[in-house]
Amino acid sequence: MNEALIDLRAWRQFVAVAEELHFGRAAQRLHMTQPPVTQAIAQLEKTLGVVLFDRTRRRVALTPAGEALLPDVRELLARAQALPARARAAAAGQVGRVRIAFVSTVGFEQLPAWVREFRVLCPEVALELVEATGDVQLEAFARGEIDAGLMLHSPGAAPPGLACLPVEVEPLVLALPAQHRLAEARPVPLAEVLAEPLVIFPRRIVPSLHDAIFGLYHAAGRTPQVAQEAIQMQTIVNLVSGGIGAAWVPHSVMQFRRAGVVYRQVNEFQGVGRRRVTLPVCETSLVWPAQASHPALARFVDFVRERAGRAPTPNSEAA
């Protein structure tokens, strides 16, 4: 018999004899006759190449090897007994792992609350989180490195080829240096904003939102003066605090309190030909491969769907 192929019956017989220290009582406990138990233990010892029991006519005792093996065998049998229930739990999405990428704006408030609540509801589902911009998330999906992503984009412009659950729509607000001449304006006139140097993320990060911001300028007959590009929203706000320029940021970024920066609402603008220009808004969506068959992921998606459905509308603190 190959050591790797020792079946659970042999280990159960070993435990019964080890606990009873009597082959007859062990056989009764196993609802067997004694000879098969005696033969099974002898075969187990032969396979392992060690003696597990000292036998005399008067007593049976564990050898040091048998004593050392007993706790591990008990653990093995306990794990084996738990396997059917664990398999059913895995099929129901109650155990497993979900690898989630997220944009920084979700990390300010929503995601920490969701993770905390989900871990209470599904303690045996491990959520593995990694912060990543939208372009990086798409590459990770292609390599099979993540199961789901929380992405930022313009409303209705989630990346194609992925299942999508919108979770929040929020306005853009203007981040300004605290000492800027427009910092005291409440709200800021859009006509004056358009002349300011702009700090913005590269287009590859969020193409739809980048285009929406540029479209706002073009609708007013202006060309954005990009002073600096930066990938992370926190970095953009830090650059604003240094006086590099102004920045359009999602409302949720206001959670990031940075000395030297103020957040302001902006008036809509009567553009070329007195056509009203609508200020861009952004949407956050949970996305995942449309063909994914992943019970734990499905449970997380259902969890987010329920929370997103009752998410409150952001209260704007930007004056």
Side-chain angles (χ1 to χ4, degrees), residues 95-102 118 125-130 132 136-151 161-165 285-302 304:
V95 299
R97 177 185 66 157
V98 183
R99 302 165 298 172
I100 305 169
F102 65 96
F118 188 79
V125 176
L127 297 181
E128 297 183 2
L129 306 175
V130 57
V136 174
Q137 290 189 36
L138 292 176
E139 293 172 359
F141 275 124
R143 295 192 297 266
E145 295 175 351
I146 59 174
D147 302 306
L150 285 156
M151 289 188 179
L162 295 170
C164 176
L165 172 64
S285 294
L286 178 67
V287 298
W288 65 97
Q291 304 303 319
S293 177
H294 188 328
L297 171 60
R299 181 169 287 267
F300 181 75
V301 170
D302 288 342
V304 173

Side-chain angles (χ1 to χ4, degrees), residues 64-122:
E67 288 182 356
L69 195 59
L70 182 59
D72 292 334
V73 176
R74 283 174 172 154
E75 182 179 355
L76 169 67
L77 294 176
R79 286 180 176 273
Q81 187 174 7
L83 284 177
R86 191 164 183 83
R88 290 189 291 270
Q94 295 172 339
V95 299
R97 177 185 66 157
V98 183
R99 302 165 298 172
I100 305 169
F102 65 96
V103 291
S104 60
T105 52
V106 185
F108 288 117
E109 186 171 5
Q110 276 186 321
L111 186 60
W114 287 347
V115 169
R116 183 169 57 250
E117 187 177 355
F118 188 79
R119 283 176 173 168
V120 172
L121 294 175
C122 300

Side-chain angles (χ1 to χ4, degrees), residues 1-18 23 30 35-53 55 62-63 65-66 69-70 73 76-77:
M1 184 188 300
N2 188 310
E3 292 180 15
L5 299 180
I6 296 174
D7 63 30
L8 294 179
R9 288 176 299 177
W11 292 124
R12 290 192 185 98
Q13 290 162 348
F14 164 73
V15 170
V17 176
F23 280 85
L30 295 168
V37 175
T38 303
Q39 294 168 8
I41 296 300
Q43 181 60 55
L44 182 61
E45 291 176 323
K46 180 179 179 182
T47 301
L48 297 175
V50 297
V51 177
L52 300 174
F53 296 97
R55 306 165 178 82
L62 281 165
T63 64
L69 195 59
L70 182 59
V73 176
L76 169 67
L77 294 176

